């Protein structure tokens, strides 16, 4: 899968291969899913039960060289992703978030057919999501804003 279109899928695949992330919540498997375009209307993950991670592609910036050099594309891109760590409790969401942060700390390497040079993470807070069916407990979401620099 090429990251030229969206890094969300290869990043999700990368996270799915990390046992500390998929096993962050004792006794449960943490799923990892990618949303390539922000969804309108009801969420596409309506039938998925937490704990899980949702990687959403927000935007990609293409870096060009200086105009004086002809403004050639360098091939380096910065993608902005939301990584939502969703748990039944705030504790579950925190456990998942911590493992994602540990994994990306000083991370560089292949993702799909691209190479990640660096990942910068920002904590963008905690929210509660109402259950889709109107039944059951709200889902706790801890969101990480990730800037992924890749080529």
């Amino acid at each position: 899968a090429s990251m030229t279109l969206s890094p969300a899928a290869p990043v999700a695949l990368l996270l799915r291969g990390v046992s500390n992330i998929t096993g962050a919540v004792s006794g449960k498997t943490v799923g990892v899913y990618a949303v390539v375009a922000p969804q309108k209307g009801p969420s596409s993950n309506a039938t998925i039960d937490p704990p899980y991670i949702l990687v959403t592609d927000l935007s990609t910036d293409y870096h060009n060289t200086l105009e004086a050099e002809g403004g050639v594309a360098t091939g380096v891109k910065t993608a902005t992703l939301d990584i939502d760590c969703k748990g039944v409790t705030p504790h579950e969401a925190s456990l998942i978030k911590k493992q994602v942060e540990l994994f990306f700390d000083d991370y560089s390497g292949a993702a799909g057919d691209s190479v990640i040079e660096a990942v910068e993470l920002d904590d963008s807070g905690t929210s509660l999501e109402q259950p889709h069916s109107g039944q059951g407990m709200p889902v706790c979401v801890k969101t990480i804003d990730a800037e992924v620099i890749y080529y």
Side-chain angles (χ1 to χ4, degrees):
S2 170
M3 273 178 70
T4 42
L5 295 173
S6 163
V11 167
L13 200 61
L14 205 58
L15 295 177
R16 204 175 296 146
V18 181
S19 57
N20 284 353
I21 291 174
T22 57
V25 179
S26 181
K28 298 180 182 178
T29 300
V30 178
V32 185
Y33 307 93
V35 177
V36 175
Q39 300 293 314
K40 299 270 186 272
S43 177
S44 60
N45 52 329
T47 57
I48 305 170
D49 289 323
Y52 65 93
I53 296 168
L54 202 58
V55 182
T56 306
D57 189 23
L58 300 180
S59 67
T60 302
D61 289 330
Y62 296 86
H63 301 279
N64 292 331
T65 56
L66 296 172
E67 293 287 330
E69 300 166 26
V72 184
T74 59
V76 177
K77 298 178 268 299
T78 301
T80 304
L81 302 176
D82 257 359
I83 302 174
D84 290 325
C85 304
K86 303 193 181 198
V88 176
T89 62
H91 180 64
E92 276 190 8
S94 294
L95 289 172
I96 300 165
K97 179 173 177 273
K98 183 178 194 312
Q99 291 303 325
V100 172
E101 288 169 340
L102 285 170
F103 175 71
F104 278 128
D105 186 40
D106 288 334
Y107 181 83
S108 62
D113 59 5
S114 293
V115 176
I116 293 177
E117 287 190 334
V119 180
E120 290 175 20
L121 300 180
D122 278 319
D123 186 343
S124 74
T126 303
S127 58
L128 284 177
E129 219 170 64
Q130 292 311 311
H132 296 290
S133 59
Q135 307 285 309
M137 299 290 288
V139 175
C140 182
V141 185
K142 294 208 178 267
T143 301
I144 302 168
D145 279 341
E147 299 270 313
V148 181
I149 300 160
Y150 69 98
Y151 60 86

